[in-house]
Amino acid sequence: MLRNRFGWPALLGAAILLLAIPLAAACGGDDGEAHADDAGVASVVSAVAFLDGLGLHAIDDSINKDQKVPADARAKALKAQAVAKTTPWPAELKPKADALAAIFGEMAAALEGDSPDLAKAGAAAKKAHDAEHEFADAAWAWVFEQAGIEGPGHGH
């Protein structure tokens, strides 16, 4: 099984972030009150950090370069689809998140079975990998905007 060397630390970070959300929401702003959009920002950060840490690049490379489907690829596509569908995205990101969820669903379908078609699986993995990067760029731009800071721009 191909392992992404950054996979488990990213997933651990996402898990820690998920545990920190109630604290962040409870702490709120300087006035001691939680603000409605604090939880929204935390949810977006948590979801995007999870999606960024899934190892879609490694799955894409494994299928398209090594011609091997990682054993956990379908499960990761399903988890990504669930996160994309259930996160309370802001209105600006919701249509993109819905489209991303559909792409993850296509990836999961292409990876179904004991011997998935490598051409279909590879195309679906590449599409999901690319779409996640595009979505993450938009989501992080939204987070930076909410924080009132200028983001670093596009990066891969």
Side-chain angles (χ1 to χ4, degrees):
M1 171 172 55
L2 179 67
R3 291 186 186 249
N4 181 344
R5 66 180 180 183
F6 301 110
W8 75 265
L11 290 175
L12 177 62
I16 291 168
L17 188 58
L18 282 172
L19 295 173
I21 289 173
L23 280 174
C27 292
D30 293 335
D31 57 8
E33 305 243 342
H35 299 278
D37 48 355
D38 289 346
V41 171
S43 293
V44 170
V45 169
S46 180
V48 175
F50 176 82
L51 294 172
D52 282 347
L54 272 175
L56 294 172
H57 182 94
I59 292 170
D60 182 4
D61 280 354
S62 181
I63 296 171
N64 288 303
K65 291 181 180 176
D66 302 333
Q67 301 295 295
K68 294 179 184 177
V69 176
D72 61 350
R74 184 167 188 275
K76 287 184 175 184
L78 291 170
K79 289 174 184 177
Q81 183 182 28
V83 167
K85 288 181 97 169
T86 61
T87 298
W89 302 106
E92 304 93 315
L93 295 174
K94 180 73 170 122
K96 292 176 184 176
D98 290 342
L100 185 64
I103 290 169
F104 287 135
E106 293 168 12
M107 180 180 169
L111 293 168
E112 195 166 2
D114 293 333
S115 299
D117 179 300
L118 284 177
K120 288 180 183 177
K126 179 171 180 17
K127 184 177 179 181
H129 173 205
D130 292 344
E132 191 282 330
H133 277 300
E134 184 178 319
F135 179 78
D137 286 346
W140 284 116
W142 181 85
V143 170
F144 293 137
E145 182 181 322
Q146 301 309 300
I149 60 175
E150 186 173 328
H154 179 74
H156 182 232

